[in-house]
Amino acid sequence: MPSVAVKLYSVFFKFLLKHRLQNRIQTRPDDFDPFGVTSRPEETIAAANPLFDDGVATKDIHIDSFTSLSIRIFLPESARCPPEPSGKARAKRPDLNSPSQSDSVRPSPNGSPFHPSRRNSYGNAAVANTLRAEPRRNSYGFSNDAEGLNLMAGGGVGAGVYRGYSPANSAKKSRKLPVILQFHGGGWVSGSNDSVANDCFCRRIAKLCDVIVLAVGYRLAPENRYPAAFEDGLKVLNWLGKQANLANLSMGGGASELKKSDNRHIVDNFGASMVEPWLAAHGDPSRCVLLGVSCGANIADYVARKAVEAGKLLEPVKVVAQVLMYPFFVGSVPTHSEIKLANSYFYDKAMCMLAWKLFLPEEEFSLDHPAANPLIPDRQPPLKLMPPTLTVVAEHDWMRDRAIAYSEELRKVNVDAPVMEYKDAVHEFATLDMLLKTPQAQACAEDIAIWVKKYISLRGHEFSY
């Protein structure tokens, strides 16, 4: 059984959630607002940090001028290391006890203090220690120097200039990492891609999986009902493909007159860069994974279906797998868990029904809506075409049985679709703010990383599940 602290917090959480849902119903907007909102005032937000202070750099991007759709990019520090050699020869590990690897502060050639960077497990540590303060960053997101990290002090001349990570222009020499599109939970009406809890979870996934995580800030209900959140998820996938094509063009993969240009020359009508430098330098969209949490799992499954239908039209983006964490699936015919655990912890059935009423248009409300029930007949595309799907469920989650049933249907048509069930766990046990530091949450993230690496590893299936 869950601990006493979890039970007490669940009571408090449900009281607040019920109050907020009822307020949304009473004060829902009369007019449709296409711009929408992606966060609530009561949400605790984690500020973006473009430096690798804890091993992951982050930045926020508003990718659609007509809506509030945004993303937060999580770039692990391993991206700064050079690509691993293709042959058997590996860089010789430096002697960590040698004077050159000392942690003491020593002066740099220009007289300013030089702090050696922390060595990680991705290649030669000497590379990280050669980073130096770069000149003023230009307005397009790229440094004019060969190095990629601005470590200049914040005060004095040039104060206020961007001090975060900026890749070198020679992106072809950069280390390429897979991309995970992450969709947060919150019952359609709350949650945020930049909340403290979601920020902590995405950092953990970026480190463990060694990937770039794009946390999607989709529009919330009731300001924007179905299909707004689903369309936002698909829009981000298409945006990722556009970024890959623009990056290829800017590096000389397109017209001959652009062969010597860099990403700074591809700008929009306002003179802003159209190429996202972190993704251009380090993203590998051909190894794309979808990860959805709670209602975000419904979005991930929808995006996976649309990716299957699009096929080669999405190239170079390729969805190689998806992870559904305690998905928000419901149906008109109740399952055993929906009856037995209807009053479960944190998100009980009554409150989830309120959330669905706020999300689905009134004329379309049905528990067998395609957005709610993945097992309705004649749903396209055929399940046999779906990508490998990992499903994470909790023992005390009333929606667990339908998620397991969906996974069973995928396995019947030979799709790799394992289920990870965690004992004594509750809905959002690995992503809720209070539960993020628990051993169970850490173990869940590690299990996800092991499975995901089967499909994103360039060396073949090194890991087994």
Side-chain angles (χ1 to χ4, degrees):
M1 294 292 292
S3 65
V4 175
V6 170
K7 293 179 180 179
L8 292 176
Y9 186 68
S10 174
V11 174
F12 176 71
F13 181 90
K14 289 165 73 171
F15 174 78
L16 283 181
L17 182 60
K18 183 178 180 180
H19 176 71
R20 290 169 181 172
L21 288 174
Q22 289 176 342
N23 285 344
R24 298 276 180 265
I25 292 177
Q26 295 172 2
T27 61
R28 54 188 176 184
D30 297 327
D31 299 325
F32 172 72
D33 178 16
F35 192 80
V37 296
T38 59
S39 182
R40 300 294 181 190
E42 63 268 13
E43 201 74 53
T44 304
I45 301 301
N49 183 4
L51 298 175
F52 297 97
D53 290 342
D54 66 343
V56 178
T58 60
K59 71 160 70 168
D60 295 326
I61 301 178
H62 183 207
I63 66 173
D64 185 6
S65 57
F66 297 102
T67 70
S68 56
L69 174 62
S70 62
I71 61 171
R72 170 164 287 190
I73 303 179
F74 295 81
L75 181 69
E77 193 172 12
S78 60
R80 291 165 53 189
C81 299
E84 295 183 355
S86 57
K88 294 184 179 180
R90 302 291 178 187
K92 183 179 179 181
R93 290 190 175 184
D95 183 6
L96 297 181
N97 297 321
S98 64
S100 62
Q101 298 297 326
S102 173
D103 292 335
S104 61
V105 178
R106 60 183 183 273
S108 63
N110 60 7
S112 60
F114 177 85
H115 298 271
S117 301
R118 179 181 63 81
R119 181 188 182 277
N120 53 45
S121 60
Y122 300 94
N124 197 334
V127 176
N129 289 335
T130 58
L131 294 175
R132 61 180 181 272
E134 71 171 358
R136 178 189 294 259
R137 176 188 178 273
N138 59 52
S139 60
Y140 298 105
F142 287 86
S143 63
N144 295 323
D145 202 7
E147 304 301 335
L149 185 62
N150 191 326
L151 297 176
M152 294 169 61
V157 180
V161 178
Y162 176 78
R163 303 297 179 190
Y165 174 68
S166 182
N169 290 336
S170 54
K172 289 183 178 180
K173 298 179 181 179
S174 303
R175 186 165 185 259
K176 299 292 185 179
L177 298 177
V179 178
I180 288 184
L181 296 190
Q182 190 263 356
F183 305 93
H184 65 82
W188 307 118
V189 299
S190 61
S192 173
N193 66 325
D194 55 1
S195 67
V196 171
N198 199 68
D199 184 86
C200 180
F201 172 73
C202 289
R203 287 176 181 273
R204 178 177 291 172
I205 292 296
K207 291 179 184 178
L208 291 174
C209 297
D210 194 22
V211 298
I212 300 174
V213 177
L214 304 184
V216 180
Y218 55 84
R219 290 170 289 173
L220 302 177
E223 290 85 354
N224 293 92
R225 294 172 176 253
Y226 173 86
F230 287 70
E231 291 175 343
D232 287 349
L234 185 59
K235 190 176 295 183
V236 171
L237 189 69
N238 290 324
W239 176 85
L240 180 62
K242 178 182 177 181
Q243 285 295 314
N245 289 323
L246 287 174
N248 180 59
L249 179 65
S250 68
M251 296 308 297
S256 58
E257 62 269 17
L258 290 174
K259 284 187 177 181
K260 294 185 179 180
S261 67
D262 58 37
N263 298 348
R264 292 173 292 174
H265 291 126
I266 301 182
V267 298
D268 59 18
N269 293 334
F270 298 96
S273 175
M274 295 180 64
V275 181
E276 189 346 84
W278 289 8
L279 290 178
H282 302 295
D284 181 4
S286 66
R287 295 180 288 160
C288 180
V289 177
L290 307 177
L291 190 155
V293 176
S294 189
C295 63
N298 298 43
I299 301 176
D301 188 64
Y302 169 84
V303 174
R305 291 176 181 272
K306 291 300 180 182
V308 170
E309 292 177 352
K312 294 184 178 181
L313 294 177
L314 276 177
E315 288 185 351
V317 176
K318 183 178 180 181
V319 176
V320 297
Q322 67 170 339
V323 180
L324 308 180
M325 300 181 67
Y326 21 84
F328 214 57
F329 295 151
V330 295
S332 58
V333 179
T335 63
H336 177 70
S337 65
E338 291 174 359
I339 297 173
K340 182 180 178 181
L341 303 172
N343 193 31
S344 56
Y345 303 97
F346 294 99
Y347 293 89
D348 59 32
K349 189 173 182 179
M351 284 192 294
C352 290
M353 292 302 103
L354 287 177
W356 277 108
K357 289 180 179 179
L358 286 168
F359 177 65
L360 294 176
E362 294 181 4
E363 62 276 8
E364 296 183 32
F365 180 79
S366 170
L367 296 183
D368 287 329
H369 191 281
N373 190 352
L375 300 175
I376 57 175
D378 301 325
R379 194 180 182 195
Q380 296 297 322
L383 290 180
K384 64 180 180 180
L385 301 179
M386 292 294 287
T389 302
L390 171 64
T391 304
V392 176
V393 296
E395 181 184 9
H396 298 287
D397 182 5
W398 67 272
M399 292 174 278
R400 59 184 295 276
D401 282 359
R402 199 172 301 275
I404 294 174
Y406 180 48
S407 182
E408 291 174 350
E409 292 299 315
L410 290 171
R411 289 196 297 273
K412 288 179 182 178
V413 291
N414 297 320
V415 175
D416 181 21
V419 175
M420 293 182 184
E421 182 176 2
Y422 292 83
K423 298 296 182 182
D424 296 328
V426 297
H427 190 81
E428 289 226 41
F429 72 93
T431 47
L432 205 61
D433 50 2
M434 176 195 176
L435 307 175
L436 272 169
K437 300 295 179 66
T438 61
Q440 212 169 26
Q442 178 68 28
C444 177
E446 292 172 355
D447 292 340
I448 290 173
I450 292 173
W451 185 84
V452 164
K453 285 181 179 179
K454 291 170 56 178
Y455 298 99
I456 62 176
S457 174
L458 289 177
R459 302 178 188 175
H461 293 185
E462 302 176 357
F463 298 85
S464 61
Y465 171 73

